[in-house]
Amino acid sequence: MMMAQFDTNKDAKISWDEFVQALERIKEYVDETAKKSAMYKSHEQYFYDRMQHKRIGVPPEVTCKFPMTSGQQYGFKVAQENSKDFYHHATNYPKNRCDETKYAEVMLKTGFQGCS
């Protein structure tokens, strides 16, 4: 997205004016995107909606560039073509469990109820 903004006259050179204009366009784009991604403007409204169990009025693809969970990957629309490339190479940090947690999960699966 950004590199396509700089060399607008396709002469393979970026003049200072082109650079400044490109930065202004990118800043406008980022500001516009930030307005869409802000779900709440006040903590009171957020707290009220959370207590009322209200859903957010916008879908996840408006607020996030990429799916945040594995369930969101199905049907998630990535807006820009170059963003799709980045998503496939993005680092994923899976949930790591310690040995004690793994042991407790196995115990629960076997039906162990604990000492009574």
Side-chain angles (χ1 to χ4, degrees):
M1 179 230 148
M2 285 183 28
M3 291 312 292
Q5 297 288 326
F6 284 109
D7 192 18
T8 54
N9 60 1
K10 307 286 188 220
D11 65 349
K13 296 178 183 176
I14 301 172
S15 67
W16 183 254
D17 294 332
E18 284 179 323
F19 181 74
V20 170
Q21 289 172 358
L23 286 181
E24 288 174 1
R25 283 193 302 271
I26 292 170
K27 184 179 181 315
E28 288 173 9
Y29 174 77
V30 169
D31 289 343
E32 201 174 289
T33 306
K35 287 178 188 174
K36 290 181 198 173
S37 65
M39 294 175 256
Y40 292 99
K41 294 185 180 176
S42 73
H43 176 70
E44 292 172 358
Q45 184 65 40
Y46 166 74
F47 188 74
Y48 177 77
D49 286 352
R50 197 182 82 193
M51 297 308 282
Q52 296 295 319
H53 301 286
K54 289 186 179 179
R55 289 184 179 214
I56 300 169
V58 294
E61 39 293 326
V62 173
T63 58
C64 306
K65 278 191 164 203
F66 307 109
M68 303 308 280
T69 64
S70 59
Q72 287 180 351
Q73 289 177 355
Y74 304 103
F76 197 93
K77 300 174 191 96
V78 178
Q80 299 172 351
E81 283 298 319
N82 55 359
S83 295
K84 289 180 184 179
D85 237 9
F86 178 75
Y87 170 66
H88 292 297
H89 299 294
T91 306
N92 185 13
Y93 298 103
K95 181 178 177 183
N96 295 326
R97 289 183 236 124
C98 65
D99 293 334
E100 290 81 11
T101 306
K102 291 176 187 175
Y103 179 75
E105 285 177 352
V106 171
M107 279 181 32
L108 291 173
K109 286 180 184 177
T110 60
F112 180 74
Q113 299 294 322
C115 299
S116 304

